[in-house]
Amino acid sequence: MVTTAAFLAFMLVGVPIGVCLCLGSIVYIFASGNPLLFQSFPTQLFGGVDNYGLISIPLFVLIGEIMNGGGITRRIIDMTMAFVGAMRGGLAYVNLLANMFVASILGSATAQVAVMAQMMVPEMEKKGYDKTFAAGLTAYSGMLGPIIPPSIMFVVYSVLAQVPVSDMLAAGIVPGILLTVAFCLVIAAMGFVYNYPRGERMKLQERVRIVLDALPTLLIPFVIVGSILSGLANATEAAAVGAVAAVLVGCFWIGELKFSDLPRMMLRAGIYSAVVLFLVAAAAVFSWVLVYGMVPQQVAGWVQTVASDPVTFMLLVNVILLVIGTVIDGAPGLIMTVPILLPIATEVYGIDPIHFGVVVVVNLVLGFLSPPVGLCFFVAAAVTGAKPGKMFLVTLPFFFVSCLMLVLLSLIPSLSTFFAR
């Protein structure tokens, strides 16, 4: 109780989440009256990041930096335009499908929304789409980033849950595809109701030229996902090969990436990765304190009085995590909830940890798009000038469909474990 109060107090005054976790742990050690625990504090802190799988995080972030700086994103947008641009609401489909392809490289919702909003929203506005809808659609499309591999949140979860990173990344393929299809159906329905404009129909020769120009960019997700699914490489090795592929495509095929740009990109990737890895290290200490204080056992006792079976437990978890996700970012939300809920899910209810991880991540990502925080909406608003509150109202159909998909993922474990095992 003292630890929880201290953590909330630090967080409410604006202390960063990682520091809150460390300070909350220190408060618990003082309150426990066992100063010998301080001797284990540095060991637990270091042990949290002493994991080979975490090397994939800076590599995946670097791939995203290279992709943005090397002109790869623009070619992916042009390719999707060639396929679906002439349909009713064509630019909306382009926005969504381009985000799906970018998600298979970038793996970060906020970064993806920032990149795609700059490119897609002005273009959609020129063609007659409402700016609020265009920005909101981009925010929801960014939801695919932490789900379709590679996903930084899945890497963090795999370390917290001690499951293979490759299995966790592969688990996001089917949920990501299902969400994309569901969002396409929503766009089709809204396009019919609101009479969205059609794009210009391209000639066959123009389509072939655009697709051939963009094909090498697809080498990057193919290398990453293909090597993981085939067993030729683990997630870290696949990330390294993907980074090399991104450099080769950006420098020698597209020609917009210069080797002199790489140090700056590496610096940005290093700064972002350091923030994530510090959160992981702080989480290790906080988890250790929770276990020492028998918090998971106490929570398990309460949960068992409410949820009598795995289905009820998963639905209860959905509600809890959706609320948490509305006020706390994804990685910190994972760090705060997984050490408590995962032992209950696996030991009490026999739920597969990979299935549970997918549900947790999708829950927290949906929180990016829910008031009062709605981080992706605020990112899209900062880039486009749209109002976050109006974005949420305009895109309510996407929210309801996301909740429906979340329930399906909770009730059907095979949707998450199809490629993972």
Side-chain angles (χ1 to χ4, degrees):
M1 184 64 71
V2 174
T3 306
T4 303
F7 175 81
L8 292 175
F10 290 130
M11 189 171 66
L12 289 174
V13 298
V15 177
I17 294 293
V19 179
C20 287
L21 292 169
C22 291
L23 292 177
S25 303
I26 291 172
V27 168
Y28 174 82
I29 294 174
F30 274 117
S32 69
N34 187 2
L36 292 177
L37 292 176
F38 278 115
Q39 297 178 6
S40 300
F41 193 95
T43 304
Q44 296 294 331
L45 196 65
F46 175 76
V49 291
D50 186 20
N51 187 297
Y52 177 71
L54 288 175
I55 301 175
S56 62
I57 290 180
L59 291 172
F60 285 139
V61 176
L62 179 60
I63 291 173
E65 290 286 343
I66 295 170
M67 182 192 72
N68 295 335
I72 296 173
T73 303
R74 169 52 61 186
R75 278 158 179 79
I76 290 175
I77 292 173
D78 291 342
M79 183 182 66
T80 53
M81 180 72 79
F83 282 112
V84 298
M87 298 171 60
R88 181 174 301 281
L91 272 181
Y93 289 109
V94 169
N95 192 340
L96 177 64
L97 296 178
N99 267 285
M100 184 186 73
F101 284 114
V102 172
S104 66
I105 304 172
L106 204 55
S108 168
T110 52
Q112 187 168 325
V113 170
V115 171
M116 297 301 291
Q118 294 178 36
M119 296 185 174
M120 290 305 306
V121 174
E123 192 68 25
M124 292 180 70
E125 204 174 358
K126 288 178 187 176
K127 299 297 183 180
Y129 291 84
D130 177 61
K131 180 171 71 173
T132 303
F133 168 76
L137 173 62
T138 306
Y140 267 96
S141 301
M143 180 180 176
L144 302 172
I147 299 172
I148 295 178
S151 164
I152 293 172
M153 286 183 66
F154 277 156
V155 174
V156 173
Y157 175 85
S158 68
V159 173
L160 294 173
Q162 296 297 300
V163 297
V165 177
S166 299
D167 285 349
M168 205 62 237
L169 292 178
I173 296 176
V174 173
I177 293 173
L178 289 175
L179 269 173
T180 304
V181 172
F183 287 171
C184 283
L185 294 175
V186 173
I187 292 173
M190 294 181 71
F192 178 77
V193 173
Y194 296 107
N195 195 27
Y196 288 152
R198 294 179 182 270
E200 297 179 4
R201 188 175 296 276
M202 294 183 183
K203 294 181 180 179
L204 180 61
Q205 291 180 338
E206 181 69 7
R207 289 184 182 181
V208 171
R209 185 191 65 79
I210 291 174
V211 171
L212 290 178
D213 188 44
L215 274 180
T217 65
L218 301 183
L219 174 68
I220 304 168
F222 176 79
V223 166
I224 296 171
V225 179
S227 58
I228 292 174
L229 292 180
S230 64
L232 293 175
N234 59 37
T236 304
E237 294 163 348
V241 176
V244 173
V247 172
L248 294 177
V249 170
C251 287
F252 299 108
W253 179 266
I254 298 176
E256 294 183 17
L257 179 67
K258 299 178 181 178
F259 284 106
S260 58
D261 297 329
L262 290 177
R264 186 180 68 257
M265 294 177 178
M266 290 179 179
L267 178 62
R268 286 200 298 265
I271 292 172
Y272 179 78
S273 302
V275 173
V276 176
L277 293 174
F278 176 71
L279 281 171
V280 175
V285 176
F286 197 70
S287 301
W288 165 63
V289 164
L290 291 177
V291 172
Y292 188 87
M294 301 186 70
V295 173
Q297 292 87 335
Q298 296 174 20
V299 174
W302 174 80
V303 168
Q304 285 179 279
T305 64
V306 179
S308 58
D309 56 81
V311 172
T312 308
F313 170 75
M314 290 299 285
L315 295 177
L316 177 64
V317 165
N318 282 336
V319 175
I320 293 172
L321 291 180
L322 195 57
V323 173
I324 291 174
T326 61
V327 293
I328 297 176
D329 293 349
L334 279 177
I335 287 164
M336 292 172 58
T337 57
V338 169
I340 298 174
L341 295 176
L342 180 63
I344 304 171
T346 55
E347 297 170 15
V348 178
Y349 295 99
I351 297 170
D352 188 299
I354 292 178
H355 170 220
F356 185 72
V358 171
V359 173
V360 170
V361 169
V362 173
N363 248 299
L364 293 174
V365 171
L366 187 55
F368 286 167
L369 300 154
S370 306
V373 177
L375 183 61
C376 283
F377 280 148
F378 280 102
V379 172
V383 173
T384 65
K387 302 294 183 183
K390 290 184 179 179
M391 271 191 265
F392 177 74
L393 294 176
V394 169
T395 55
L396 271 177
F398 293 96
F399 179 80
F400 292 135
V401 167
S402 300
C403 291
L404 176 61
M405 293 303 304
L406 188 55
V407 173
L408 287 177
L409 290 172
S410 301
L411 300 180
I412 309 175
S414 58
L415 294 178
S416 303
T417 58
F418 186 80
F419 286 111
R421 297 286 173 79

